[in-house]
Amino acid sequence: LSRQASVDERVTGDVLRIKKEIGRLNQLVQEFRTLSRQQDYHFRPMNPAPLLNETLDLQQLVLEARSIVISRHIADDLPGVLVDEDRMKQALLNLIKNAGEAMPNGGTLTVTVTASDGSVAIHIKDTGIGIAPGSDVFQPFFTTKKEGTGLGLIIVRQIILAHRGTIVYDSEPGEGTTFHITLPRMAAASSNR
């Protein structure tokens, strides 16, 4: 009977691993579809502060459960930018989740937003494990996570570029990573359209 129990445990373990792999493959297919399809964007003028705060609020309990402190430096009176709210929230959520996952032992997530004459800059900084020098996180299939597909940051970049923005990062292994997003202000964005 104990031999049968052992076989049952192995089969159950195999089934769970297969289900997990099917889930990962499904995520990969969904991300491929997102990358390959022409996306419809619905831009509208908005202040980015409420969008950032809402996105952080969505992740706050998850981050706090991981002993991650959120530090917000987001002015309420930011100039307007043209944004597809759903797509931008997707990009920000991906960056915030990645930052949280880069801090398995806790840390600080700092989100800072500044404005200049022509743009609004969003900085998402973690105190996590960092990215190895010479790595390019925007390369397909690059990931530092066990469960990652290596396509999430490519989708983020695609979204930011569709907003006529830029995204770059700097990182120090063992110290953390900061992603810098720049979006054109309304007046600058309107003159380019």
Side-chain angles (χ1 to χ4, degrees):
L1 189 64
S2 66
R3 183 172 181 183
Q4 182 61 40
S6 176
V7 169
D8 288 347
E9 285 177 20
R10 280 200 318 261
V11 169
T12 301
D14 289 344
V15 168
L16 291 174
R17 280 189 292 280
I18 290 168
K19 284 178 75 173
K20 186 175 179 182
E21 190 62 20
I22 288 170
R24 194 183 71 76
L25 290 172
N26 187 40
Q27 180 184 355
L28 184 64
V29 168
Q30 293 301 322
E31 289 179 354
F32 266 130
R33 290 180 68 201
T34 300
L35 282 172
S36 64
R37 270 188 289 184
Q38 180 67 32
Q39 299 295 315
D40 289 329
Y41 285 84
H42 304 285
F43 295 100
R44 67 180 184 90
M46 70 182 304
N47 176 333
L51 180 64
L52 276 157
N53 281 314
E54 182 181 326
T55 307
L56 283 167
D57 290 346
L58 285 172
Q59 287 295 296
Q60 186 159 348
L61 291 177
V62 174
L63 295 171
E64 288 175 352
R66 294 180 177 170
S67 301
I68 296 170
V69 175
I70 299 173
S71 176
R72 302 179 197 209
H73 305 279
I74 305 169
D76 289 329
D77 60 347
L78 291 168
V81 292
L82 284 175
V83 172
D84 178 307
E85 190 172 352
D86 291 337
R87 301 273 188 244
M88 186 57 70
K89 190 181 288 185
Q90 177 187 359
L92 294 170
L93 194 56
N94 190 307
L95 291 170
I96 291 166
K97 282 182 173 182
N98 283 355
E101 291 168 0
M103 298 182 279
N105 301 316
T108 302
L109 172 69
T110 305
V111 178
T112 305
V113 184
T114 58
S116 66
D117 288 342
S119 64
V120 172
I122 302 167
H123 310 279
I124 299 173
K125 176 182 176 146
D126 67 61
T127 56
I129 58 175
I131 299 166
S135 300
D136 181 1
V137 298
F138 297 115
Q139 285 290 101
F141 305 113
F142 177 87
T143 185
T144 59
K145 303 181 285 188
K146 279 185 190 177
E147 306 298 320
T149 62
L151 296 176
L153 288 173
I154 295 171
I155 293 170
V156 168
R157 183 174 63 177
Q158 184 181 52
I159 291 169
I160 300 302
L161 292 176
H163 283 78
R164 297 197 172 157
T166 61
I167 181 168
V168 295
Y169 67 94
D170 53 72
S171 186
E172 186 69 38
E175 300 291 323
T177 302
T178 305
F179 279 88
H180 309 276
I181 299 169
T182 304
L183 299 171
R185 287 173 65 147
M186 274 294 296
S190 297
S191 65
N192 289 338
R193 291 194 179 271

